[in-house]
Structure formats: C-alpha cells, structure tokens
Amino acid sequence: MTQPLPIAAFRDKIVSEIRRAGSLILTAPTGSGKSTQTPQYLLGGFPGKLLVLEPRRLSARSLAGRVAVETKTSLGTTIGYQVRFDSRCGADTKIIFQTYGVFIAQMLKDPELKGVGAVLLDEFHERSLECDLALAWLKALRTGKRPDLKIAVMSATLEVAALTRYLPEAALVEVPGRMFPVAIRHHPLDA
C-alpha cells in the first residue's frame, strides 16, 4: 500500500490560496508531488488552460506522461506537452507542460495569453533568463490586462524572502518533507 504524497495534505490550502490571492509561492521538497499533483489540483478550477513551465524538455515530457497516467487519459488529450520541435497537445488539452523557452515564444505571439487561466513556474530555483523573464512578464500581465490570470512559483529550494518582496500579494504554502529513519551498518570485508 502506498502512502499519499506529502503535498496531498495541502491540496485544499493550495487551491483556496491561489483562488484568493491570484498568485502563490509553493515550496515543497523533491519527491513531495508538487510538479505532478498541483496541476491536477487546479484542473477545472478556473477557465482556460493551465501551463506548467519546466526548465528542460525531458522533464516536460516525462511529467506530462506521468500526469496523463495518473488521470487515466491518453497523452495529448487532457494532458499534453510542448517542447522545441515536439508537441503532444490538442484543442481540448487542459494542462500543458512546456519549457520556459516555448512559453517565451508563446508570449511573444500572444502577449495577453488568451485562453490561459493559470501558469505554474516549476523548478524556479534553476534560475535562467527565460525563467526570470517569464515571471516578470506574468507579473506585469496580472497587474495590467489580466488580473484574472493565476500564477504559482514552485520549487524545493526557493528564496522565499526575495520572492515575497517581488510578489507581495502572493500566498505562501510551505510543504514540509517526510523524515525516514536511517540505519548505518558496517559489514566486515571478506579477506
């Protein structure tokens, strides 16, 4: 029997806080489920598509595949991905995992992100120019033409103080990790 992921206990708080504040800072340890579960928690909670930004193509593809399996849907239907030179999305795709680079290209074509209800910036600690540009653009969009747009910044290791200064209206949800006992045993070497 598998135990629920640590983030499961915070589901209601994540959903209510992003609805209330419009923006969210989510810290959760590696393996807690933030990248796979948070998009599922928010699915259908607001109009429009949900974009999940990833720093690498491999993570975008594999997370989309995992979430499709968990939601018992075919990849490219409800759950899909967009990376450079590859896409598994359709007109009805609700959650799209994409790289930051693909997102920047999308923003340049459609600066108001029509049809997008929320953007989750995953693995934000892996700071890059594309990552910082995406957050700055989303912040400007929320304070201007799209106050309805929801955003979440997610990572295992975030500079929470700096982010809360940059996004003072954002709700903060911190998911603690689980501790497991570790036993150290030394076995003699056979001579």
Side-chain angles (χ1 to χ4, degrees):
M1 184 172 155
T2 60
Q3 291 185 4
L5 293 166
I7 202 163
F10 293 83
R11 177 186 185 143
D12 293 341
K13 185 172 184 178
I14 290 167
V15 172
S16 66
E17 288 297 289
I18 199 164
R19 281 187 184 147
R20 180 190 63 76
S23 57
L24 177 73
I25 298 169
L26 174 61
T27 64
T30 302
S32 63
K34 71 185 162 306
S35 301
T36 58
Q37 303 309 298
T38 304
Q40 292 180 66
Y41 298 163
L42 300 177
L43 180 62
F46 44 83
K49 296 184 183 299
L50 171 67
L51 305 180
V52 185
L53 309 186
E54 296 295 332
R56 289 171 303 286
R57 287 182 255 185
L58 179 62
S59 58
R61 283 189 197 118
S62 62
L63 287 167
R66 178 67 189 167
V67 173
V69 167
E70 289 181 3
T71 57
K72 296 176 177 55
T73 60
S74 297
L75 186 60
T77 56
T78 303
I79 314 300
Y81 67 82
Q82 291 176 320
V83 298
R84 189 174 180 203
F85 305 127
D86 191 15
S87 176
R88 294 283 301 271
C89 294
D92 296 329
T93 305
K94 300 292 183 204
I95 298 176
I96 303 172
F97 288 83
Q98 60 185 198
T99 57
Y100 282 95
V102 167
F103 178 70
I104 298 298
Q106 180 177 344
M107 284 193 328
L108 290 171
K109 289 179 188 171
D110 178 15
E112 293 182 27
L113 295 175
K114 294 178 190 88
V116 175
V119 181
L120 309 182
L121 296 90
D122 197 17
E123 303 298 347
F124 193 77
H125 69 279
E126 293 188 24
R127 303 284 300 279
S128 67
L129 180 59
E130 293 167 332
C131 185
D132 288 351
L133 177 60
L135 180 59
W137 199 318
L138 290 166
K139 179 182 176 179
L141 197 53
R142 270 191 48 76
T143 57
K145 295 182 178 183
R146 290 287 313 277
D148 61 307
L149 182 67
K150 310 293 186 214
I151 62 172
V153 180
M154 309 186 311
S155 180
T157 55
L158 284 174
E159 295 177 35
V160 174
L163 271 171
T164 54
R165 282 192 304 275
Y166 187 70
L167 298 171
E169 75 288 353
L172 175 62
V173 176
E174 296 178 285
V175 177
R178 280 191 277 199
M179 300 297 287
F180 296 94
V182 176
I184 300 173
R185 297 182 186 152
H186 297 279
H187 295 278
L189 296 174
D190 293 332

